[in-house]
């Protein structure tokens, strides 16, 4: 639901000049999404949306130019170095064990990256599960994470 809602938010800000969270919430409701203002606020933060000035002197939400793959890679590297304890496989599922309270941050960082074969993630307090399209994608991703943790 979260990924679908955030995808819809990105579509809305690409096609409509949205100035406030209330306008964004109204647009989402028109498209069949029920959310609260607090949820929209978190989505805006996670998507790294910023307000930029339009030609008419008003502001609108837009994607931050600072969300580059290099920035995300550094963010992921830091989260993994500091908080990931182990990465294991269960067929097409990648199980990420973290220090208490860090699974959500690790999964959020992964959700923000373009990882081949990743369908989505689910996070608890100290365990995250990545759902991959198949066993091969899971094995490949685990190998890349192991390299990342060694560096």
């Amino acid at each position: 639901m979260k990924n679908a809602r955030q995808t819809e938010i990105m579509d809305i800000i690409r096609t409509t000049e949205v100035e406030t969270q209330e306008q964004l919430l109204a647009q989402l409701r028109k498209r069949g999404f029920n959310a609260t203002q607090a949820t929209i606020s978190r989505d805006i933060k996670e998507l790294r949306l910023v307000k930029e000035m339009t030609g008419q002197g008003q502001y609108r939400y837009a994607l931050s130019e600072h969300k580059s793959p290099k920035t995300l890679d550094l963010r992921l590297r830091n989260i993994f170095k500091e908080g990931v304890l182990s990465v294991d496989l269960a067929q097409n599922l990648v199980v990420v064990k973290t220090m208490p309270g860090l699974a959500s941050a690790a999964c959020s960082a992964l959700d923000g990256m373009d990882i081949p074969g990743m369908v989505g993630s689910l996070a608890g307090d100290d365990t995250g599960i990545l759902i991959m399209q198949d066993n091969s994608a899971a094995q490949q991703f685990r190998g890349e994470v192991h390299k990342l943790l060694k560096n």
Side-chain angles (χ1 to χ4, degrees):
M1 183 67 132
K2 175 181 172 180
N3 286 337
R5 184 183 63 249
Q6 289 185 350
T7 299
E8 200 66 31
I9 288 171
M10 295 301 293
D11 184 54
I12 290 168
I13 67 163
R14 277 190 213 101
T15 59
T16 310
E17 290 198 5
V18 177
E19 197 170 346
T20 66
Q21 290 182 9
E22 291 78 19
Q23 290 173 341
L24 183 57
L25 195 53
Q27 288 291 325
L28 280 171
R29 286 187 177 140
K30 282 183 188 176
R31 296 175 184 210
F33 288 87
N34 248 345
T36 65
Q37 187 276 328
T39 300
I40 299 304
S41 182
R42 279 189 300 273
D43 287 339
I44 288 169
K45 184 177 180 181
E46 287 177 19
L47 292 169
R48 290 196 162 107
L49 299 181
V50 295
K51 284 196 171 184
E52 67 180 15
M53 189 169 289
T54 67
Q56 295 81 28
Q58 296 177 315
Y59 287 91
R60 61 175 254 158
Y61 281 105
L63 184 60
S64 171
E65 301 206 8
H66 298 296
K67 188 177 180 180
S68 67
K70 186 175 182 180
T71 304
L72 288 172
D73 184 50
L74 182 60
R75 179 177 163 214
L76 178 64
R77 215 177 272 277
N78 289 338
I79 289 170
F80 268 66
K81 290 251 186 202
E82 297 297 320
V84 172
L85 303 175
S86 68
V87 178
D88 218 342
L89 290 181
Q91 295 186 4
N92 70 316
L93 302 177
V94 178
V95 180
V96 179
K97 293 284 191 173
T98 70
M99 293 176 64
L102 296 181
S104 182
C107 285
S108 179
L110 292 165
D111 284 339
M113 299 186 76
D114 188 20
I115 298 172
M118 187 171 126
V119 178
S121 70
L122 180 65
D125 183 57
D126 63 356
T127 304
I129 297 175
L130 309 179
I131 299 98
M132 307 302 281
Q133 287 177 334
D134 54 37
N135 296 358
S136 175
Q139 290 170 352
Q140 182 177 356
F141 180 72
R142 180 184 65 171
E144 290 178 25
V145 170
H146 280 279
K147 284 185 223 171
L148 180 70
L149 292 174
K150 287 181 185 177
N151 290 335

